[in-house]
Structure formats: C-alpha cells, structure tokens
Amino acid sequence: MGILGGGTVGAALVGLLAERRTEIAARCGIELVPVAVAVRSPDRPRPGVPADLLTGDAAAVVARPDTDIVVELIGGIDPARELLLAAMAGGKPVVTANKEVLAGHGAELFAAARAAGVDLLFEAAVGGAIPLVRALRESLAGESVRRIMGIVNGTTNYILSRMTTAGSGYHDALAEAQALGYAEADPRADVEGHDAAAKAAIMAGIVFGAEVTTADVHCEGISTLSPNDIAFARRLGHVIKLLAIAERIDGDGGAGSAGGGGAAVAVRVHPAMVPDDHPLAAVRDSFNAVFVEGDAAGELMLYGRGAGGRPTASAVLGDLIDAAVNLASGAAAGPPPVAPARIHPIGELRTAYYLALEVIDRPGVLAAVAGVFGRHGVSIRSMEQEGLGDQARIIFITHVACESDMRATLDDLRHLEAVRQVGSVLRVIADE
C-alpha cells in the first residue's frame, strides 16, 4: 500500500504494520507492506519511518502499480481530495482519517467510490480509536436511531475538565492543554467547535443516510465560558461539555428516512449542561464518547481515546485490513448511496436554556426581565440572584422553549436599561 502523510499518525501506522505484520498475515491471510510514504519534506528524518520509503511525490505514490491501496493521512481539503479521487478512479480502495474532506466533499467521494466499485473507509476520521463508524454503519444498520450525541474533541473536553475539577479559567486550561500537546498553537478549530462540526456531519450522514456537510451544522465553541458558568452548573448537578448532536426530527408524516418527507435532520455543536447522572458527564480529560439513542436498541455509549498517534493508527489499520481482505476477495462494492438531507433549522430547536444576566439591582428589574420572557412565550423554571448593587447577577433556567423565541428574548433583554450584560447562554440537555 501507499501512505500519504508521515506525521504522527502516519509514522505510528508504519510502526504498527511492522509490529503486527506476521500476526495479520496469520489471521487474515494477507500481507500489508508499505511501498512508499509521501511527505512534504522527504529529506527530514522521521522516527519510525525507514528513509528509503520517503518521497515528496504523493501523486506518484497513488499512481504506482504496486500501490494497491492508498492510505490518506495528510488532512485538509487539497491536495487530499484530488489524490483520493485519483486513487479511486484507478480502481484502488482508499482509507482516510481526513474529517475535513469527508465533511466537505463526502458525497463526491462516495459517488466516486461507488462508480469504481472500491472501498472508501474512514473509521479514524471521527472517534480516533473508538470503533464508531463501523458500529453505526454495520452493527446499527437495522436500528432506527433517534439521536446521536457525543464528545468528539479531546482538546475541548480536557479544557472543560480542568475548569470543572481544578477551577481553572479558560485561558489557563487552554495553556495547560497546549503544554501537554492536547491543543495546537492555533486552537481555533478545536475551541470554536469546527473540528467537532466536521465529525458531527460525518456521523449524521452515516446514521441517517443523508448528505450532510459542515455547512449544515450549527456551530458554537467554548471560548466565552467562564468559571462562574462552570460553578453554577456544578451547583445544579450538571457539568458543561462541548457536544456534537445529530438527531431525527419527525414531521407530520411520521418517522422515516432523513432524506424523505417524513423527517428532517438537526445537526449542531455547542456547549451544553449535562446532568451528573448522564454517562457523558463522566467522560473527562482528552477522552471521547458517543451516546446513541435508538428506537429498539435503547441507549448505547462508545468510549475511548479520540486522538493520538497510535490510537488513531489502530483505527486506520482496522480499515486497512478490511480493504485488503475485500480487495483480495473481490467483495468491495463502494459505499451505499445517500439521499439529500432536509436540514431542520436551528431556530426551530426546542430545549431548555441556562442564561446569566448582569443587572442593576433596583426595584422593578426582575419584573421587567420576567416580562420580556413572558412576551416571547419562554417560561422560567428557576431563578437565582448572586451579588448586590452593580455586581448583581441573575441566573435563569427555562422550561423547554423554541430557539427562535429564546433568541428574541435575548435581543429584547439586551435593550433593557437595567441589563448591563447578557452573559452565557447554554442549552440544557436533560430537558431535551
């Protein structure tokens, strides 16, 4: 096989292939031998990768006659997309860990794989070492899934875990994550939710058989969260997690295919308050987990390392073995077709909300604020005031309300003279 990319995951994959070559051959009857590893700087030594495998010409690796499977670990859209399309056009199955290209151009890539009758496998693109894609695509193929909800970004989960357990501020927790190698020097893709949004799009496509891209995912990050938000969540018996959520919204026609007339797909990424007794609340540090709610199977959770060289390479190796076995037996037929998705607008979401307001503490303020909630049909479940005078802060938890009504409430609150600032607004998962 040819490997495109010799970074952390690529080098780990070369090492695993060397370690397990004999075992794989004995168990599967195939030999997996890398013929080349394409990298940007082939003259730079890469620990664990033999120098004679390194090359700077990725296109030549794809075109080589002794490259029968292509493993793409470059990341990003270009040139990965062109290389994957070229490999499949040449009749070569591909394995990728590239969430960006799948979330942005998945329909095109899947169509190319079907046309060529080759495998396009991507277990490592969503949950690292967690066998999530295979479970959703195969084990739950006959299940009618209502919702899939997960912690799919280890960087943000580590930051929120430190803010919860150590009382760290956001910036201190981020600096610690960067020092440990959990966060990039430029962490925006993680902390603003874009990494999780790409994974949410991929999961939604698998679960609902729908064509979902990153552009369909409502996305919010964690950079505005404060220690006060974390502390108040703890007092309510909740923790704050960045969640990727994909769910089926049944219409008047009843449950059905997400691409059909009966149901739509809602896909979103945002921080949320999760009750302490929910399985996702116990997922800490850089671990990932995905919680599945099905009509027949009930509730399931898959948990494990969501990133890192060897865990991710382990998932890639599993796909590589499948692709090699299918290639040898002629069993590959390409991925199944997907239907166009009907995306449920975020404004029509119904959930409960947490809201923090900084107000001027004087008579009539609470009545004015409550009047704004009432005018937009948002019912207050509980209210608590912290501080006095210019330091007064009111915390609200609402009953289930429509997102558009909550947004209208927030707009009006920002124009109230007594409201100095509208602070954090979080969705409360327990009430969805």
Side-chain angles (χ1 to χ4, degrees), residues 6-8 11 37 39-55:
T8 302
V37 179
V39 295
R40 183 172 298 171
S41 303
D43 295 332
R44 179 165 63 87
R46 296 170 187 270
V49 182
D52 61 345
L53 291 180
L54 296 175
T55 176

Side-chain angles (χ1 to χ4, degrees), residues 59-114:
V61 172
V62 170
R64 283 177 59 149
D66 55 349
T67 297
D68 45 14
I69 301 174
V70 173
V71 180
E72 185 273 307
L73 303 171
I74 299 172
I77 303 296
D78 296 315
R81 172 178 159 272
E82 291 86 352
L83 292 167
L84 290 171
L85 290 171
M88 292 185 288
K92 299 175 182 183
V94 296
V95 173
T96 181
N98 190 333
K99 56 188 172 292
E100 293 92 352
V101 74
L102 289 167
H105 299 274
E108 178 187 24
L109 295 170
F110 297 150
R114 285 193 299 273

Side-chain angles (χ1 to χ4, degrees), residues 12 33 57 68 94 103 129 175 215 225 252 254-255 265 300 307 325 327 334 341 370 413:
V33 181
D57 193 341
D68 45 14
V94 296
L225 293 175
D252 293 338
V265 177
L300 310 168
V325 170
L327 182 64
L413 288 172

